[in-house]
């Protein structure tokens, strides 16, 4: 493997509390030097002047739809969408068809991603067989096959005793539980229960569905010692609970999705089913609370909840369309917007997309860092670059994003995995 010299970029590495202009030399797939003015010796050179150079992004929550729903996305197109967004490490959700509740599918996903060669794919297995909430899967076997975490994402087990056992097993195996914390009984509707659901006369999903599930998860984590990661936090009550459990020393972390940082329930009036997502877009007050929690560290990181669907599936009324939006492509622009509006620092932007999720997933200190000797997974992005998210450059098989054909600010120019350039923007 050749050498690579990244010159003149503004290097941001939260893991070393480092920010400043420096060159990075990559040799044999690893970072071998970070200092100013490294003299070139004939290696490939990337000019990163006026760009940010950071540890590549890590996503704890994405739907690659493979196997079973490959008309929406597959591991190859999903890998291309991930590196387009600066991600080299991705956790895939188990709501495939068949469900990823057995070691053979974990292995299939891992090996297919390896063959595609663009990202490090870490499949999550299901907590219960068929994600039906009735019978626990074989946690040890799933872990042995390469599952990095367990989740029934899309739903959550509703039998508390079963979930307690799941947490106990997960604690014994040191396996992370990720939870779609939203009780189905209180969230039978289609958008946030409130002003807009009243206006449209459509059933809503109550915010208490999320708060009660997080309270349940927090106390079960406390009594079992399990590590629990709350997926897609949407409501300010959830933020309050997360803070409470963290103060008690419970091993709980939380993520927010780009779409919940940018959009509110009001956007349902403009975009309809395109912005239907579970848990739903909530109010401007919730959006502000999520931003504040992300800035302060109550919410630990970003998860993209990348959820592709075909146009003919999304182009249905609110009560029939499936939930979800694309996530990889808009994650950096979402965070750049918060940075430009003064809510987060550049260091925090990199931390929530890279170092923090790498730590939650147990991938740090291999990933989420630019320390000398670690794999050269690096993202190079321009904070100021304006671009249009067109179908032509979209690597996903699906286009379900309200940001399609819109101008976005902040663009990934290079994604490097293990010293190899796996994405290069030619805009
Ligand atoms: Zn979910």
């Amino acid at each position: 493997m050749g050498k690579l010299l990244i010159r003149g970029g503004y290097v941001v590495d939260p893991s070393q509390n480092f920010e400043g202009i420096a060159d990075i030399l990559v040799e044999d797939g690893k970072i071998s030097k970070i200092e100013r003015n490294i003299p070139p010796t004939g290696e490939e050179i990337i000019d990163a002047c006026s760009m940010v150079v950071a540890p590549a992004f890590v996503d704890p929550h994405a739907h690659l739809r493979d196997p079973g729903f490959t008309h929406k996305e597959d591991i190859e197109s999903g890998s291309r969408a991930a590196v387009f967004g600066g991600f080299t490490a991705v956790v895939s959700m188990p709501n495939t068809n068949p469900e990823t509740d057995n070691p053979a599918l974990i292995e299939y996903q891992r090996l297919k991603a390896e063959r595609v060669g663009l990202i490090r794919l870490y499949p999550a297995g299901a907590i219960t067989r068929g994600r039906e909430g009735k019978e626990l899967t074989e946690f040890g076997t799933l872990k042995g096959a390469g599952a990095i975490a367990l989740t029934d994402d899309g739903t959550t087990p509703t039998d508390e005793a079963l979930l307690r056992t799941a947490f106990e097993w997960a604690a014994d195996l040191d396996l992370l539980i990720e939870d779609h914390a939203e009780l189905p009984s209180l969230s039978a509707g289609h958008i946030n229960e409130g002003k807009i659901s009243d206006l449209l006369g459509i059933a809503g999903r109550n915010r208490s569905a999320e708060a009660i599930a997080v309270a349940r998860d927090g106390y079960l984590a406390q009594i079992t010692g399990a590590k629990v990661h709350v997926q897609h936090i949407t409501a300010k009550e959830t933020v309050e609970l997360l803070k409470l459990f963290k103060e008690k020393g419970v091993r709980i972390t939380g993520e927010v999705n780009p779409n919940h940082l940018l959009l509110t329930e009001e956007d349902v009036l403009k975009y309809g089913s395109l912005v239907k997502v579970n848990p739903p877009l909530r109010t401007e007050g919730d959006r502000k609370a999520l931003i504040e929690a992300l800035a302060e560290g109550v919410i630990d990181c970003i998860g993209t909840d990348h959820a592709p669907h075909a146009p003919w599936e999304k182009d249905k009324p609110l009560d029939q369309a499936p939930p979800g939006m694309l996530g990889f492509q808009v994650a950096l622009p979402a965070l750049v917007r918060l940075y430009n509006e003064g809510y987060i620092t550049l260091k925090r932007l990199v931390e929530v997309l890279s170092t923090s999720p790498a730590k939650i997933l147990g991938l740090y200190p291999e990933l989420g860092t630019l320390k000398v000797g670690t794999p050269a997974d690096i993202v190079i992005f321009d904070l100021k670059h304006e671009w249009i998210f067109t179908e032509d450059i979209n690597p996903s098989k699906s286009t379900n994003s309200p940001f399609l054909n819109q101008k976005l600010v902040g663009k990934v120019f290079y994604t490097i995995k293990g010293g190899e350039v796996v994405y290069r923007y030619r805009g």
Side-chain angles (χ1 to χ4, degrees), residues 97-413:
N97 186 19
E99 314 274 340
T100 308
D101 59 5
N102 61 81
L105 277 185
I106 300 273
E107 263 163 47
Y108 158 76
Q109 290 162 348
R110 234 170 15 85
L111 293 175
K112 183 163 176 187
E114 261 171 42
R115 201 168 64 239
V116 173
L118 297 175
I119 60 168
R120 304 171 195 274
L121 182 67
Y122 301 96
I127 298 171
T128 63
R129 278 190 209 287
R131 293 166 50 253
E132 287 175 348
K134 293 189 184 112
E135 192 190 341
L136 296 179
T137 55
E138 291 169 22
F139 288 14
T141 317
L142 292 177
K143 185 178 175 172
I148 195 170
L150 300 177
T151 174
D152 274 359
D153 188 37
T155 185
T156 187
T158 53
D159 178 338
E160 293 85 3
L162 183 91
L163 199 61
R164 177 185 177 172
T165 306
F167 280 28
E168 281 166 354
W169 289 7
D172 280 351
L173 292 163
D174 195 26
L175 199 49
L176 179 72
I177 296 276
E178 295 191 355
D179 191 33
H180 177 127
E182 197 188 21
L183 293 188
S185 57
L186 286 168
S187 50
H190 313 288
I191 59 172
N192 181 44
E193 184 182 313
K195 200 171 71 180
I196 307 298
S197 66
D198 283 354
L199 186 73
L200 299 176
I202 192 167
R205 299 168 84 88
N206 194 274
R207 55 181 51 247
S208 67
E210 189 173 303
I212 295 169
V214 171
R216 175 198 68 175
D217 290 355
Y219 285 114
L220 288 179
Q222 187 176 14
I223 61 169
T224 59
K227 277 189 296 187
V228 178
H229 177 69
V230 182
Q231 300 181 280
H232 40 43
I233 293 171
T234 68
K236 60 178 181 292
E237 292 84 355
T238 313
V239 170
E240 289 162 10
L241 281 166
L242 192 65
K243 195 169 173 201
L244 174 84
F245 284 117
K246 285 185 160 189
E247 282 165 3
K248 285 153 71 84
V250 175
R251 298 166 86 194
I252 192 166
T253 53
E255 76 182 30
V256 60
N257 303 152
N259 294 310
H260 289 103
L261 292 171
L262 296 179
L263 305 166
T264 67
E265 61 177 355
E266 306 271 344
D267 288 292
V268 173
L269 296 176
K270 192 168 166 191
Y271 297 109
S273 301
L274 192 56
V275 295
K276 176 180 173 180
V277 61
N278 292 344
L281 300 174
R282 302 213 193 261
T283 66
E284 181 61 14
D286 290 302
R287 192 180 79 87
K288 286 277 158 63
L290 296 174
I291 293 172
E292 207 174 288
L294 185 71
E296 287 173 352
V298 176
I299 292 180
D300 300 85
C301 71
I302 299 295
T304 67
D305 194 8
H306 180 74
H309 292 291
W312 54 267
E313 294 169 311
K314 267 307 225 188
D315 193 16
K316 281 183 181 162
L318 275 169
D319 59 350
Q320 290 164 38
M325 288 175 257
L326 299 182
F328 290 139
Q329 297 91 328
V330 297
L332 178 69
L335 274 292
V336 167
R337 189 169 133 188
L338 301 193
Y339 168 75
N340 284 335
E341 290 173 355
Y343 291 113
I344 55 168
T345 61
L346 186 53
K347 199 177 94 187
R348 185 67 182 150
L349 179 152
V350 173
E351 189 170 48
V352 298
L353 282 165
S354 181
T355 312
S356 176
K359 284 181 178 170
I360 290 166
L361 296 166
L363 300 172
Y364 182 85
E366 284 282 289
L367 303 181
T369 178
L370 295 175
K371 279 183 191 143
V372 168
T374 61
D377 280 32
I378 301 170
V379 61
I380 303 174
F381 60 91
D382 187 335
L383 277 170
K384 298 206 172 80
H385 188 80
E386 296 183 353
W387 58 290
I388 312 262
F389 178 25
T390 60
E391 263 186 70
D392 284 354
I393 60 168
N394 176 29
S396 277
K397 283 188 177 177
S398 297
T399 55
N400 54 312
S401 170
F403 303 105
L404 196 75
N405 296 319
Q406 289 204 21
K407 189 176 82 182
L408 298 171
V409 181
K411 182 74 194 78
V412 170
F413 274 68

